[in-house]
Amino acid sequence: MKWARAVSGGTSEAAARWLFPEGHRYARLAPLLLVLTFVSALVDAASFLGLGRVFVANMTGNVVFLGFALSGVAELSALASVVALTGFLAGAVAGGSWRRDVEAGRLFAPLVAVQALLAAFALAAETAGWGRYAVLVPLACGMGLQNAVVHRLGVPDLTTTVMTRTLTGLAADRPGRATVRRGVSVTALAAGALSGGLLHARGGVEGVVVTVLALLLIVALAGHRWRRAPAPSA
């Protein structure tokens, strides 16, 4: 609770001024988007290490895995890749089409809360031993939902999953505040992958998804507080 208040209050405003000195409508959500970036890597760690060499957040890699699997690579499953892609697209469609007439900032907290519910279902499926697809589908749907709401927010350099373009901009553009945003985003993803690997080694998929669920609940609560808080004066 204290963490959520800090992120949605003065800490968030300070981070917004540091990352977006030029200003942005949703700059105060930047710390929460970085947490979601961390979550993306955690989820991919759970799926890749524990659900059969498949991604649920990094769809670029998943499409490549699908091609590899169709070529006959024994360690990869074409069905798992297709299921993950389908779940992701279903979540993206839902997140992109829901209440198009409402500005994106008002939808951030509710959609993250739905993502948390999907993670809770995945955790229940893993705990009950319902099989990898019962875990894979809600995680993939949640990541599609996350990508849709982040796309609707349109915060520069904080996409939460796609890093190829971020790394290209980091290398190709002149140094500036965008360089800082990109560097922090890449660092958050790498830290999530490292943490996900360590968590999986100790607690398996269940241990990773518990952490994902906790972080999503914190982000949803902080996002709700952000929505209710008045915008800082210029």
Side-chain angles (χ1 to χ4, degrees):
M1 294 291 287
K2 290 181 179 179
W3 190 94
R5 286 194 292 269
V7 169
S8 58
T11 301
S12 180
E13 293 176 17
R17 288 192 295 269
W18 180 59
L19 292 171
F20 294 93
E22 71 279 12
H24 189 278
R25 185 177 186 181
Y26 301 122
R28 285 193 294 167
L29 289 176
L32 303 184
L33 295 179
L34 290 172
V35 176
L36 290 183
T37 304
F38 186 89
V39 165
S40 297
L42 287 178
V43 171
D44 265 349
S47 64
F48 184 82
L49 298 174
L51 299 176
R53 299 298 189 265
V54 61
F55 287 133
V56 294
N58 178 10
M59 285 298 115
T60 302
N62 205 40
V63 170
V64 173
F65 281 174
L66 176 58
F68 288 162
L70 291 174
S71 75
V73 176
E75 293 81 7
L76 299 173
S77 166
L79 178 59
S81 294
V82 169
V83 168
L85 281 164
T86 303
F88 182 93
L89 291 173
V93 168
S97 60
W98 187 57
R99 301 189 68 181
R100 292 184 188 274
D101 57 326
V102 177
E103 61 100 4
R106 295 181 60 82
L107 300 179
F108 177 78
L111 288 176
V112 174
V114 173
Q115 186 182 2
L117 286 175
L118 289 167
F121 184 89
L123 178 60
E126 175 66 19
T127 303
W130 293 344
R132 70 168 174 173
Y133 292 111
V135 182
L136 193 65
V137 170
L139 290 179
C141 286
M143 291 311 306
L145 199 66
Q146 174 182 311
N147 274 261
V149 69
V150 170
H151 177 72
R152 291 175 69 168
L153 290 171
V155 180
D157 307 308
L158 300 179
T159 62
T160 75
T161 53
V162 182
M163 289 296 146
T164 302
R165 188 168 183 176
T166 301
L167 286 167
T168 300
L170 194 62
D173 292 347
R174 290 183 177 181
R177 193 57 63 179
T179 305
V180 176
R181 293 193 294 265
R182 292 162 180 164
V184 171
S185 184
V186 171
T187 300
L189 192 74
L194 173 62
S195 300
L198 293 172
L199 284 168
H200 184 269
R202 289 162 175 76
V205 172
E206 185 175 345
V208 179
V209 178
V210 165
T211 306
V212 167
L213 176 58
L215 290 174
L216 288 174
L217 289 173
I218 290 171
V219 170
L221 176 59
H224 176 69
R225 291 179 177 275
W226 172 88
R227 186 177 61 174
R228 296 178 60 187
S233 58

